[in-house]
Amino acid sequence: MKDILDRLEKRREEARLGGGTSRIEAQHKRGKLTARERIELMLDKGSFEEFDMFVEHRSNEFGMEKSKIPGDGVVTGWGTVNGRAVYLFSKDFTVFGGSLSETHAQKIIKVQDMAMKARCPIIGLFDAGGARIQEGVAALGGYGEVFKRNVVASGVIPQISVIMGPCAGGDVYSPAMTDFIFMVRDTSYMFVTGPDVVKTVTNEVVTAEELGGASVHTTKSGVSDGAFENDVECLLQMRRLIDFLPSNNESGVPEWPAYDEPDRIDESLDTLVPDNPNKPYDIKELILKVADEGDFFELSAAYAKNIMTGFGRVAGRTVGFVANQPMVLAGVLDSDASRKAARFVRFCDAFGIPIVTFVDVPGFLPGTDQEYGGLIKHGAKLLFAYSQCTVPLVTVITRKAFGGAYDVMASKHVGGDLNYAWPTAQIAVMGAKGAVEIIFRTDIGDKDKIAARTKEYEDRFLSPFVAAERGYIDDVIMPHSTRRRIARALAMLKNKHVEMPARKHDNLPL
Ligand code: HXC
């Protein structure tokens, strides 16, 4: 018996070594942890249960039958994060560059199917070069099966992709179909085809970082929702993210003990909005002062900075915050900001997370650059996303809510449940200058007349009261009581139930 046990332990040891000590050393030298070390950090201590550690590939092409490594380049299983079950797979770059073979795909498919059955989140830790080239179409078939499951699981269980090394081909397409993509700075890259192929096909010489580093995907392309300094920080932040997320679309948001009174008053908010309407202020301050313990997990912080999105909690329950940021481009809505916020709003709605929206928006960004880039369709995505929501929507207009952007930003008209305004709110078709120049065009040469008209417009329209008189705003509230009013609203809306008409699916303006 002892022999049998020893043999099992020996086989396990062999599998745990993956591609071997020299490749593990090379991995460490690059500043990266191994697939198993990452799992240790991601999950609660001792909670990991591994599947399929003895699976090997079945390829006989290009001499592959001579190099079989137990586990075949991916470590799969389940465990817990602060006591809540999650499934995960972690690509092992030390084994054929983490590339995906037919059997490697089957291991991932198994945990995808089990995560769906158990209705638990699934996390992929990627460090892999795509389809295993030696396997050809068998690997492509494997990817197809993974992709299909990504789509079937979308909106049912949260799917998180963490890019922790050079990733290409299927190892970027599968993440692209999940809910969130995070990267590690300076060691992770995402591209459909790597720099060598780019050079061969287009003659373009580009480094991996320039083509698909975190610096590109968190700022220019918006593909990634955030980046962290190293593997350790990244995985600890992923644990923090999981704490905000529901296990599935029917579980409701997680509830954690809160030590921050829901009716906490914050007097400093009464002076947050400057007297000069053209002066910026940091909307993040409002989010931090409303969220429990100022704990805010921001998404896409370096992309489309004119809008902020992220998770926080109110009275211990997760909420999604969306806020125009007056510090960047005066908080205007452009194509990137609209897409960023639309995707976030849809995630929240799919998973039953209430949305709190802070509005200070001068409108949509005018100009050929935006129009040629399809602002109409991109802006429509955000309008569509809010209009489609059945989760509680609480909106607070802090200052400007101009034009179509007023409608878009979770207004009463598109489904806002409770719409509040601060006394500093200005709800109108546009700002005074633009309005007067259009409706009193003939007076433009007369400075005094224009000044009088502007004052008249400001007095009548640049306040929350025209909207409040119509019931478009439920109440004009004191800034210092914002957290209390939001907490009460969310508590009241906890069992909100609305139904949309039956249909196969909607036709979001993609
Ligand atoms: C088999 C692979 C591999 C792959 C890497 N390796 N990618 N083996 N299939 N796809 C192996 C290497 O041969 C090497 O083995 C080891 O992994 C480490 O790779 P290096 O190239 O030494 O590492 P690095 O310089 O860091 O470069 C990493 C890389 C690069 C950027 C990922 O390896 C690369 O460009 N790989 C090919 C990427 C690719 O084109 N994949 C196919 C995509 S098509 P040794 O034994 O020498 O250490 C695809 C289709 C899916 O995925 C469908 C999409 C819709």
Side-chain angles (χ1 to χ4, degrees):
M1 182 67 181
K2 172 89 171 47
D3 267 9
I4 301 176
L5 300 185
D6 286 348
R7 253 181 283 152
L8 170 63
E9 200 40 57
K10 193 161 170 287
R11 285 195 70 162
R12 282 180 171 173
E13 273 311 310
E14 218 178 284
R16 287 193 195 108
L17 267 183
T21 37
S22 62
R23 280 197 160 86
I24 291 176
E25 270 167 33
Q27 180 85 348
H28 286 158
K29 266 199 194 123
R30 291 179 181 196
K32 300 193 294 179
L33 297 175
T34 65
R36 282 167 199 283
E37 288 164 345
R38 287 169 176 162
I39 291 175
E40 286 293 304
L41 278 169
M42 180 75 225
L43 298 178
D44 296 341
K45 216 171 167 34
S47 74
F48 181 50
E49 295 231 5
E50 184 169 350
F51 305 140
D52 298 335
M53 85 187 307
F54 307 115
V55 163
E56 292 177 346
H57 72 73
R58 300 186 201 113
S59 170
N60 296 319
E61 309 284 349
F62 302 101
M64 285 297 279
E65 66 280 3
K66 288 186 221 109
S67 54
K68 296 200 175 199
I69 297 177
D72 203 26
V74 63
V75 184
T76 60
W78 73 277
T80 57
V81 173
N82 287 322
R84 297 168 67 225
V86 297
Y87 278 81
L88 89 176
F89 56 91
S90 180
K91 300 265 187 166
D92 186 349
F93 192 76
T94 68
V95 180
F96 311 116
S99 59
L100 180 135
S101 69
E102 190 181 3
T103 48
H104 175 127
Q106 282 164 355
K107 286 184 66 172
I108 295 176
I109 291 166
K110 187 191 266 187
V111 280
Q112 286 183 303
D113 288 345
M114 292 187 76
M116 270 297 271
K117 256 193 262 177
R119 292 291 196 264
C120 294
I122 184 163
I123 303 137
L125 308 180
F126 289 85
D127 188 355
R132 190 163 307 159
I133 294 163
Q134 296 89 333
E135 291 217 5
V137 73
L140 297 183
Y143 265 127
E145 302 275 341
V146 172
F147 298 154
K148 176 76 182 174
R149 281 164 177 78
N150 285 138
V151 175
V152 172
S154 183
V156 182
I157 52 172
Q159 301 179 80
I160 302 171
S161 302
V162 194
I163 311 298
M164 311 191 80
C167 292
D171 287 309
V172 298
Y173 271 115
S174 174
M177 282 189 293
T178 62
D179 297 304
F180 303 107
I181 300 179
F182 293 94
M183 298 181 77
V184 180
R185 286 197 191 96
D186 303 322
T187 49
S188 78
Y189 312 99
M190 297 180 77
F191 21 69
V192 175
T193 48
D196 296 344
V197 181
V198 169
K199 181 156 188 298
T200 312
V201 177
T202 68
N203 233 352
E204 194 184 358
V205 178
V206 67
T207 65
E209 182 62 37
E210 287 163 350
L211 188 61
S215 57
V216 171
H217 289 310
T218 57
T219 58
K220 282 197 176 80
S221 73
V223 164
S224 169
D225 297 284
F228 303 99
E229 287 309 315
N230 53 50
D231 284 16
V232 178
E233 191 201 340
C234 181
L235 294 164
L236 295 180
Q237 288 298 325
M238 292 302 99
R239 287 177 59 87
R240 190 174 151 233
L241 172 64
I242 301 254
D243 284 349
F244 282 105
L245 303 182
S247 294
N248 60 65
N249 62 332
E250 289 174 337
S251 64
V253 296
E255 277 195 62
W256 296 99
Y259 305 99
D260 198 354
E261 289 303 318
D263 56 2
R264 171 172 50 76
I265 296 291
D266 198 317
E267 305 281 353
S268 69
L269 289 177
D270 290 344
T271 50
L272 179 66
V273 174
D275 292 336
N276 178 350
N278 297 320
K279 235 178 128 183
Y281 61 94
D282 190 357
I283 201 75
K284 191 170 182 179
E285 193 178 324
L286 175 57
I287 298 175
L288 297 180
K289 285 177 173 166
V290 165
D292 287 356
E293 289 113 25
D295 189 12
F296 176 52
F297 191 98
E298 190 176 354
L299 293 161
S300 302
Y303 179 77
K305 293 195 237 173
N306 35 333
I307 202 154
M308 297 190 82
T309 54
F311 299 111
R313 291 185 193 88
V314 174
R317 295 166 52 82
T318 307
V319 299
F321 285 103
V322 179
N324 309 112
Q325 173 55 287
M327 301 277 280
V328 181
L329 297 170
V332 79
L333 279 179
D334 57 7
S335 296
D336 291 347
S338 303
R339 276 193 307 121
K340 167 177 160 180
R343 190 160 163 74
F344 179 71
V345 166
R346 277 169 68 83
F347 177 84
C348 290
D349 189 50
F351 288 97
I353 301 172
I355 300 169
V356 172
T357 305
F358 294 134
V359 184
D360 186 348
V361 61
F364 280 99
L365 184 61
T368 49
D369 193 36
Q370 286 293 311
E371 296 288 357
Y372 293 175
L375 177 65
I376 296 168
K377 274 277 173 82
H378 295 306
K381 289 182 173 115
L382 184 54
L383 176 55
F384 201 103
Y386 269 125
S387 305
Q388 194 182 37
C389 280
T390 58
V391 290
L393 294 180
V394 180
T395 305
V396 181
I397 301 174
T398 57
R399 191 167 61 179
K400 295 169 194 160
F402 290 164
Y406 153 72
D407 273 328
V408 170
M409 294 300 296
S411 67
K412 195 61 130 189
H413 323 286
V414 302
D417 294 301
L418 282 166
N419 293 69
Y420 295 129
W422 283 5
T424 42
Q426 307 174 348
I427 307 168
V429 173
M430 58 177 76
K433 188 169 175 290
V436 168
E437 280 175 7
I438 293 171
I439 51 183
F440 302 109
R441 190 170 285 155
T442 48
D443 295 338
I444 274 179
D446 188 333
K447 266 193 185 159
D448 293 343
K449 250 189 183 167
I450 286 289
R453 297 291 196 197
T454 305
K455 170 95 180 53
E456 194 184 332
Y457 183 92
E458 282 171 357
D459 290 347
R460 176 68 189 120
F461 292 117
L462 293 191
S463 84
F465 295 105
V466 180
E469 283 161 19
R470 291 188 141 68
Y472 297 169
I473 294 297
D474 296 298
D475 198 3
V476 181
I477 64 169
M478 291 291 185
H480 63 248
S481 68
T482 305
R483 174 174 156 90
R484 184 170 68 84
R485 301 297 290 258
I486 289 173
R488 282 179 60 83
L490 291 172
M492 182 273 289
L493 289 165
K494 197 171 164 190
N495 297 319
K496 175 182 173 183
H497 183 80
V498 289
E499 275 176 27
M500 299 293 250
R503 59 183 142 193
K504 186 169 178 197
H505 57 70
D506 57 60
N507 191 11
L508 175 81
L510 290 173

